[in-house]
Amino acid sequence: MESYADWLRARADDELRALLSARPELLAPVPADLTALAARAATPAAVSRALDRLDRFTLAVLEAVLVLPPPVRPDAPAAAFDAAPDRVGDAVDRLLRFGLVWNGSDGALNAAPGVRQGLPHPAGLGPPVQEVFAGYPVERLTALVTDLQGEAPRGFADAARLLRRLAELLADPAPLVEAAGPEARSALDALAWGPPVGRVADARRPVRVDTAATPIERLLARGLLAAEDDRTVTLPREVALHLRGGRLFQDLPAEPPPLGQEPSGTPRGEDMVVRAAAGEAFNAVRLIEELLERWGLEPPPVLRSGGLAVRDLRNAATLLDVPEWKAALLVEVAYAAGLLTRSGDLDGEWLPTPAYDLWLMRDTAGRWTELARGWLKSDRAAGLAGERDDRDRLINALSEAMVRSSAPATRRTALEILAGAERGTPVDADALRARLAWLRPRRGGPFRDRLVGWTLREAAALGLTGFGELAPFARDLLAGDDPEPGLEKYLPEPVDRILIQADLTAVAPGPLVTELSRELALAADVESTGGATVYRFTAESIRRALDAGRTADDVAGLLARHSATPLPQPLTYLIDDVARRHGHLRVGSLSSYVRTDSAGTLDEILADRRSAALRLHRLAPTVLASSLHRGELLDGLRAMGLAPVAESPGGGVIVTRPDAQRAEPPPTAEIVRLRPDDTADASMISAAVRALRAGDEASRHGAEQARLRADAPSGEPPRSPAMAT
C-alpha cells in the first residue's frame, strides 16, 4: 500500500460509509472515483473542516503522530500521553475513521495528505533542526557549526552534511541553554509551549558567539533560535522538547471538563423544568404573533442599507413590553422561520409572508416547533443587534451584518452539551464554554464565547430551557423527533371569552383563539401581559378597526359575542362616537388628469365605451382624473382617436420620446451545496459508495486498456488479458 488513495481503495464499504458520514462535505458533488475522493479529502478546506470536528484530546493524538519520529507505530502515541492506552486507541480509531491518518504497508501511522499543512505547529512545536535551518546559506551554517563544536568542519562540508552535524550538536541543548544566560532562557521559555515563533529586529544579521551582545543574539549564535526572515525567529523542535522536559503537552485532560456542580439545595423536578420552558415557549409564540399582526397593519420601512431601524426596533420592544435584545431575537426568529420578509427591492417594508397565515392555522405547539427549528438553523446572531462592526458601523436587526456562518453549529453544539448534562444539574455559561473549548478547540475565540452566552439567553427566552436545563421536548427537537406531543400537554388551552370592564379595558384570562386574538388586536391595544392579558380600548384603536374595513356594528357585535358580561355603556358610546366621525373626509391618490377648455369634449370622452378602461371620473366641469399613469392615459386617449399632449405641473407642454427597451436578465440557477455541518442520510451515503466503487472500477479498466494499447504491436488491436492467455 503506497499511497493514501490506495489505503482508501482497500477500505471496506462500511469504513467508507463511516468516512463520508463523518465528513459529508466530501459528497458535494460525488467524486468520480476513490482517487478523486482522496484528492478532495486532502484539499485545505476539507482538511480544515475535518480538524474542526475533533475534540482536544483527539487533536492532540493527531499532533503526536505528526511530531513523533517515523515510523509511528499504532501504540507509539500512547507513550506521549498521561492517559489510558485504551483512550488513546479510541482517538486513533476516530482519526482513521475521519481519514486524517492512514496505515502504511508496514502498519505505521501516517498523516493524511494536507494534514501537516493544516497544523503548521503541531503540539506548539516548530520544525526539527534540519528543517528549520535548511534555508541558511552554507557559509552561515559553517560558521554556526564551527562556533558550536569549537573548530571548523573537516573535509568538504555541503549543506546536507552541515545540517546533520548541527542536529547532532543540538540533540542535547542543555549546555548551550545554560551558556546563553538566564535572560536568554526566559526568552526561550516564552516560546517553549508555543507558538514557537517570535518577532525580533535584524534576525538574519550574522552574529557569532564571541560577538553576541543581546539575549536574542546569544540564542541565534548558538542555534537555539533560527531566523526565518529578517523579523521572525523560530524555536527548533529539539530545543523546545528539552525545555518541556520531553513532554508534548501541558495539562491535557483526556476527558471533557465537568458541566457543573451538584445543586446545593433540593433539585428541581423535571415537571418544574418543563412547565417553566413551556410557559416561555407559549409567550414567545404569542409575542411574535402580536408583533406580526401589528406590522401587517403598520409595517416598518426597510433601511436603504438593509435591516430594521433602531427606532422601529425600540418601538417593537415597547409594543411587546420586552427588552430590546429580546425584541431583536423575536424579529430574527420570525425572519428565520419564513414568517417575515421585505417587500420589494427599493423603499420596501417589513411585512408578514403568506406562510404567516398558514402558521396561524396551526396549534401553539406546531407554531413553536417552526420557530424553534428556524432559530436552530439560522446563521444570524441576534445578539449583534445594536453593536458596532469592525468599521464602527451600527449593526441593525434583519441586516446582512447579522450573518455569522459559525452560529448554527455553535448553537446546536451548545444545546447538545446541555442535553448531555445530568438531570437536575443546571449548566452555567462558563461551564458550557469550557466544555465547548474541549470539544471544538479550533473553533474557539472571543466571539464564540459571546455566542454561547447568547445561546443560553435565547434558549431560555424561546422556551427550550427551564431553570438552566434543557426541556424534554427540546431534546426531541435536537434529536430530529417531533416535539409537539411533549409540549402540547403543558400549554394552556385557548379561550374565546373575555371580561370587558367599564374602564374601557378587557381582560383575557388565557390565550385567545386565533380569530378573536386578531380582531381584538385591531380594536384594542395591549396594556399589560402576564397570567392574563389586559387590552385597552381607545379612540385610536377603534379607528384602526374601522380603517381595516370593520363597521361599528361589526366591532360591537364581536365584543358582545365574546364578552362574559354585557358591553359597558362607555364602550358603546366610544364606538358610536368614533364611527360617526369616521370617513367624513376622504383622501385619495391620483396619477394623472385630463384638462380642456371645452366641457363638451369631456362629456364625449365619458360617453365613449372605450374610456371605461381609463378609470376616469370628473373632478370639475373641465377636469377628469385617472388612477393610470400619465403615459398610459395618453396612449389610451390616442387609441380613441384624440390628440392629447402631456402637461407639466406648471402648465407647459412636455416633449416626449419613446422609452428605451430593456430585456430582463435570465434567472440564475440556484446551486444547492452541503454546508460544513450538514449531514447526509444513510441512503445517500450508500449510493455514493456504490458510485465510487463503480467509478474506481471504470478507471482501473481504462488504465488497463491504455496499457494494452501501449504494449500492442503497431497495427494490432489491444487484447484483454483473457485473450492473451
Side-chain angles (χ1 to χ4, degrees):
M1 193 179 303
E2 300 297 334
S3 68
Y4 180 65
D6 292 334
W7 177 79
L8 281 180
R9 196 169 288 110
R11 298 303 92 201
D13 287 355
D14 288 345
E15 293 173 309
L16 288 178
R17 283 192 288 267
L19 169 65
L20 297 176
S21 178
R23 300 172 65 178
E25 67 276 358
L26 300 180
L27 285 175
V30 176
D33 52 30
L34 289 169
T35 301
L37 176 65
R40 181 177 299 174
T43 59
V47 171
S48 178
R49 291 171 181 174
L51 294 175
D52 286 346
R53 297 187 179 101
L54 299 182
D55 60 63
R56 184 67 193 93
F57 188 78
T58 307
L59 185 63
V61 173
L62 177 59
E63 292 174 316
V65 172
L66 292 173
V67 300
L68 289 174
V72 182
R73 300 298 174 187
D75 56 347
F81 294 90
D82 185 16
D86 291 345
R87 183 69 181 87
V88 180
D90 292 341
V92 171
D93 290 342
R94 189 180 186 204
L95 293 173
L96 289 168
R97 186 170 68 253
F98 274 64
L100 294 172
V101 298
W102 60 284
N103 301 105
S105 57
D106 57 354
L109 295 177
N110 301 280
V115 171
R116 192 172 298 275
Q117 291 75 17
L119 294 170
H121 301 301
L125 294 170
V129 168
Q130 294 194 52
E131 183 178 336
V132 76
F133 284 99
Y136 274 40
V138 174
E139 295 78 8
R140 190 166 181 183
L141 285 174
T142 303
L144 184 57
V145 171
T146 300
D147 279 349
L148 294 183
Q149 67 182 11
E151 61 179 358
R154 296 178 181 178
F156 177 75
D158 60 3
R161 293 181 59 188
L162 290 171
L163 287 173
R164 287 195 298 270
R165 180 56 182 158
L166 186 59
E168 295 172 357
L169 294 171
L170 290 175
D172 181 15
L176 298 174
V177 173
E178 184 177 357
E183 293 180 350
R185 172 61 188 260
S186 298
L188 291 178
D189 288 339
L191 303 177
W193 291 101
V197 295
R199 304 284 288 178
V200 298
D202 297 329
R204 284 186 171 175
R205 184 170 62 87
V207 60
R208 304 297 294 267
V209 170
D210 54 351
T211 61
T214 66
I216 299 299
E217 289 180 349
R218 293 197 293 271
L219 294 173
L220 288 169
R222 289 168 172 82
L224 299 175
L225 287 179
E228 292 280 347
D229 53 41
D230 291 337
R231 300 184 60 84
T232 306
V233 293
T234 301
L235 182 67
R237 181 175 300 174
E238 292 84 348
V239 179
L241 288 173
H242 164 74
L243 297 172
R244 297 181 181 187
R247 291 184 297 163
L248 289 182
F249 301 98
Q250 185 180 31
D251 299 329
L252 176 65
E255 300 296 335
L259 283 177
Q261 303 295 329
E262 291 294 331
S264 56
T266 303
R268 297 182 177 91
E270 182 178 322
D271 190 65
M272 294 181 62
V273 171
V274 70
R275 287 187 181 278
E280 290 296 335
F282 168 76
N283 192 45
V285 172
R286 180 185 62 81
L287 290 175
I288 287 180
E289 179 182 351
E290 182 179 347
L291 177 67
L292 296 186
E293 284 295 325
R294 175 59 63 88
W295 282 9
L297 300 173
E298 303 171 9
V302 178
L303 294 175
R304 290 190 178 274
S305 58
L308 183 71
V310 174
R311 178 187 66 255
D312 295 319
L313 179 63
R314 190 175 297 120
N315 291 340
T318 302
L319 170 69
L320 303 179
D321 193 22
V322 297
E324 287 189 26
W325 71 263
K326 190 170 184 178
L329 169 65
L330 297 172
V331 167
E332 288 288 347
V333 169
Y335 180 77
L339 309 180
L340 177 70
T341 191
R342 59 183 298 171
S343 63
D345 295 330
L346 297 176
D347 299 326
E349 297 174 319
W350 292 107
L351 286 167
T353 65
Y356 170 66
D357 297 307
L358 299 176
W359 180 76
L360 287 177
M361 298 172 63
R362 302 193 63 182
D363 57 15
T364 304
R367 296 187 207 175
W368 179 86
T369 300
E370 290 191 33
L371 298 178
R373 285 175 177 162
W375 171 75
L376 196 60
K377 296 180 180 180
S378 174
D379 60 354
R380 308 173 65 84
L384 289 171
E387 297 192 356
R388 297 278 176 177
D389 62 10
D390 296 338
R391 299 182 181 179
D392 199 35
R393 296 176 300 188
L394 186 67
I395 300 177
N396 296 96
L398 297 176
S399 68
E400 290 301 315
M402 305 283 285
V403 175
R404 294 293 185 274
S405 60
S406 62
T410 302
R411 194 177 291 130
R412 173 171 282 277
T413 304
L415 293 182
E416 288 173 347
I417 293 174
L418 289 181
E422 294 185 10
R423 298 292 175 89
T425 304
V427 180
D428 60 16
D430 291 336
L432 188 58
R433 293 187 185 102
R435 175 65 70 92
L436 196 57
W438 189 91
L439 288 174
R440 298 290 185 270
R442 283 171 51 89
R443 292 187 178 183
F447 179 75
R448 188 179 73 173
D449 290 343
R450 299 180 65 201
L451 190 58
V452 168
W454 293 337
T455 297
L456 289 179
R457 182 177 70 176
E458 293 170 6
L462 295 175
L464 281 84
T465 61
F467 298 110
E469 297 182 45
L470 201 66
F473 56 83
R475 297 174 187 269
D476 295 336
L477 179 73
L478 280 180
D481 299 328
D482 186 7
E484 296 182 32
L487 172 61
E488 191 171 7
K489 57 186 177 182
Y490 291 96
L491 294 174
E493 289 291 334
V495 298
D496 62 354
R497 307 295 287 176
I498 56 177
L499 177 63
I500 300 179
Q501 304 177 102
D503 61 350
L504 299 180
T505 61
V507 179
L512 299 176
V513 295
T514 300
E515 179 185 2
L516 178 57
S517 176
R518 301 186 74 167
E519 293 298 326
L520 198 57
L522 274 177
D525 298 320
V526 176
E527 189 169 81
S528 65
T529 59
T533 305
V534 179
Y535 295 86
R536 177 167 293 280
F537 298 97
T538 64
E540 290 75 14
S541 67
I542 298 297
R543 185 179 305 114
R544 185 170 64 233
L546 298 179
D547 289 341
R550 311 304 189 266
T551 65
D553 291 339
D554 292 337
V555 175
L558 171 78
L559 298 178
R561 287 195 306 273
H562 295 282
S563 176
T565 58
L567 293 187
Q569 195 174 56
L571 179 57
T572 59
Y573 284 168
L574 176 65
I575 296 173
D576 292 340
D577 182 60
V578 173
R580 184 168 51 253
R581 293 181 288 110
H582 186 265
H584 280 191
L585 294 179
R586 302 295 180 95
V587 177
S589 61
L590 296 174
S591 296
S592 57
Y593 64 89
V594 180
R595 184 177 66 85
T596 180
D597 294 333
S598 172
T601 301
L602 300 186
D603 292 337
E604 294 177 4
I605 293 175
L606 291 176
D608 194 322
R609 292 182 179 180
R610 293 175 294 175
S611 68
L614 302 182
R615 307 175 194 172
L616 298 169
H617 64 276
R618 202 159 202 155
L619 294 182
T622 58
V623 179
L624 297 179
S626 172
S627 60
L628 298 179
H629 291 295
R630 182 177 58 198
E632 295 175 309
L633 183 58
L634 283 170
D635 293 340
L637 292 174
R638 286 166 180 163
M640 295 172 59
L642 302 172
V645 295
E647 185 177 73
S648 68
V653 175
I654 298 176
V655 178
T656 62
R657 65 177 182 179
D659 293 333
Q661 299 292 319
R662 294 292 186 271
E664 292 292 331
T668 57
E670 181 181 1
I671 301 176
V672 180
R673 299 185 185 273
L674 284 172
R675 296 195 304 268
D677 295 289
D678 284 343
T679 57
D681 57 36
S683 60
M684 181 188 301
I685 292 174
S686 297
V689 170
R690 291 193 297 270
L692 287 169
R693 293 292 190 196
D696 215 50
E697 178 63 24
S699 298
R700 187 195 62 78
H701 180 72
E704 181 67 19
Q705 289 294 105
R707 185 186 65 80
L708 291 174
R709 282 194 296 269
D711 294 342
S714 178
E716 292 186 10
R719 295 183 299 170
S720 67
M723 294 174 60
T725 59

